[in-house]
């Protein structure tokens, strides 16, 4: 009887806490700009762990961490992933800063402590209600591209300044970006119309 009363009391306290938390969230609103509370962060982390089947946690990357494989992963990351995760994995981008929940800093233990299989499954299948899409079936060479991405994610904490500069050139470009680059190149070559006009005036 005593055990039943204790269990009932704990259940009542849990319901009250859930109700208060729900009221707080509704009162605060559901803006994607907000910083997740510690409770939300804990629940989200637990959900991400549960989202990966246990069988994948024991899988090791079949590809060696060769410079060629890491380079291929870097190119793919810069083209497909950096828009949310940033070239350095920090998630400090326009999209990354304004997502909810925020993408993790992939250089830190939250990501680096995951097994190869967990990273692979997340890339292939995405995570519901997180903004992380599923890329399985989208990669040109299938699983190999995903495993190369896993290798590059492992490399992120050691990314060099030279690699960051190179990745910037690999990022997708808008028409405005291309026009700006074209104008910069023309200026450096001396093809700028204003420069030519000044030169012809002096002559």
């Amino acid at each position: 009887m005593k055990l039943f009363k204790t269990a009932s009391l704990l259940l009542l306290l849990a319901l009250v806490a859930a109700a208060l938390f729900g009221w707080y969230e509704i009162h605060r609103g559901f803006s994607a700009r907000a910083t997740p509370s510690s409770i939300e962060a804990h629940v989200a982390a637990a959900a991400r762990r549960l989202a990966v089947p246990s069988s994948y946690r024991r899988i090791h990357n079949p590809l060696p961490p060769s410079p060629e494989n890491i380079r291929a992963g870097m190119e793919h990351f810069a083209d497909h992933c950096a828009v949310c995760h940033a070239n350095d994995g920090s998630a400090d981008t326009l999209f990354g800063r304004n997502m909810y929940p925020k993408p993790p800093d992939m250089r830190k233990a939250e990501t680096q402590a995951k097994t190869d299989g967990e990273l692979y499954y997340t890339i292939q299948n995405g995570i519901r209600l997180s903004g992380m899409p599923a890329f399985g079936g989208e990669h040109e060479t299938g699983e190999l591209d995903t495993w190369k991405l896993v290798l590059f994610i492992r490399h992120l904490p050691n990314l060099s300044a030279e690699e960051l500069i190179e990745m910037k050139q690999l990022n997708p470009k808008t028409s405005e970006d291309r026009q700006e680059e074209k104008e910069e190149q023309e200026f450096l070559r001396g093809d700028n119309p204003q420069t030519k006009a000044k030169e012809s005036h002096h002559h």
Side-chain angles (χ1 to χ4, degrees), residues 72-87:
M74 181 183 80
E75 292 177 356
H76 199 92
F77 190 94
D79 189 42
H80 290 78
C81 311
V83 66
C84 291
H85 291 286
N87 286 328

Side-chain angles (χ1 to χ4, degrees), residues 135-150:
F135 284 103
E138 299 299 321
H139 295 153
E140 292 180 8
T141 56
E143 294 183 354
L144 292 180
D145 282 342
T146 302
W147 284 121
K148 289 172 185 176
L149 274 173
V150 172

Side-chain angles (χ1 to χ4, degrees), residues 52-62 114-121 147:
V52 179
S54 59
S55 58
Y56 278 84
R57 294 173 189 151
R58 297 186 293 272
I59 297 176
H60 296 285
N61 198 328
K114 293 182 182 298
T115 68
D116 293 343
E118 286 177 307
L119 294 175
Y120 171 87
Y121 183 90
W147 284 121

Side-chain angles (χ1 to χ4, degrees), residues 66-78:
S66 65
E68 295 77 17
N69 286 336
I70 293 173
R71 163 75 192 197
M74 181 183 80
E75 292 177 356
H76 199 92
F77 190 94

